[in-house]
Amino acid sequence: MKIIKNILMLLGIVFVAGTLIFAVQSTSANNPNTIVVANDSVQKNVASEYKISSIDIPEDLNFAGELVPQADPEIMERVDREFLVNTYWQSNALLLMKRANKYFPIIEPILAKNGIPDDFKYLAVAESGLTNVVSPAGATGFWQIMRETGREYGLEVNANVDERYHLEKSTEVACKYLKKWKDRYGSWALTAAAYNAGPGAVNKYLRIQQVDSYWDLLLGSETGRYVFRIMAIKEILSNPEKYGFHIDKDDMYTAVPTFTVEVDTPVSDFADFAQEYEINYKILKRHNPWLREPHLNNASRKKYTIEIPNKGYYVMGK
């Protein structure tokens, strides 16, 4: 009998303990802002320390000088989405600001020389995040240029050399492409859409929907968001402190000064070539990503210009 009583007592204790654990878990689940700290009676409310708010949209929002129809509620919902996504994706925004400090001084004068609005430097940000990425479709580099387009506009594109990775040359190609389609559409917003989706797709949608404005087009998700995303990136990167970003000048990425070396013969080994200038293969490729292999074929004896960093900017192992 005594054994039965002890067993019942033990079961009672287990039941009570289980009930208490369930109650604590239920309270935490119903209040996601509450963190229960073991062995501590203090409960911390996350929202009291981390405040999130809506974004005040500028009243003169424009892309390359073309005003956005901000009286249209459908347009403003799309604008609001991009401002929220790009403001509160803080790590990405910080990286974009740091890279922009390094690469915009290279891109800006090329755009200006070709008569392309300065806003299009943010198109490169939207396309690639200012990195030499390759899309699933094969679009490559900062400006995401397809192989056929690169060759059409004079870039060398093969396994040995791919000038879509050459920032200055690919920016020149992007300018030529943008000018061509601006002449066709008469609108920078439609030109940007054509850059993203391709002129064929934009022409098709304009014809089917019987409109002539980017703001009136119903497009696929990516291109439908595209110009709005560029405008949000432009606003945030132009006014970082307004959106809560504080970056010291010393934290920005900067370009390493370089000098150029002209080569009009084959190079059998770029590791050996790099050592001649007291750098290594990695640093050589960092400054010349368009060199795609460890050697240069150059059977045609074409003249290539290779960038070499000034001495003292890199620390290399012995």
Side-chain angles (χ1 to χ4, degrees), residues 18-59:
T19 303
L20 290 173
I21 292 171
F22 178 80
V24 171
Q25 290 176 335
S26 298
T27 301
S28 299
N30 291 331
N31 185 0
N33 290 331
T34 300
I35 299 174
V36 178
V37 183
N39 301 320
D40 191 342
S41 61
V42 177
Q43 294 182 333
K44 185 179 291 185
N45 190 313
V46 175
S48 67
E49 297 185 4
Y50 186 68
K51 299 186 183 302
I52 302 172
S53 63
S54 295
I55 306 296
D56 288 332
I57 307 298
E59 295 181 358

Side-chain angles (χ1 to χ4, degrees), residues 110-130:
I110 298 175
L111 295 178
K113 179 186 72 173
N114 286 280
I116 303 298
D118 193 62
D119 279 7
F120 276 88
K121 65 191 181 188
Y122 300 104
L123 181 146
V125 179
E127 283 286 338
S128 66
L130 298 178

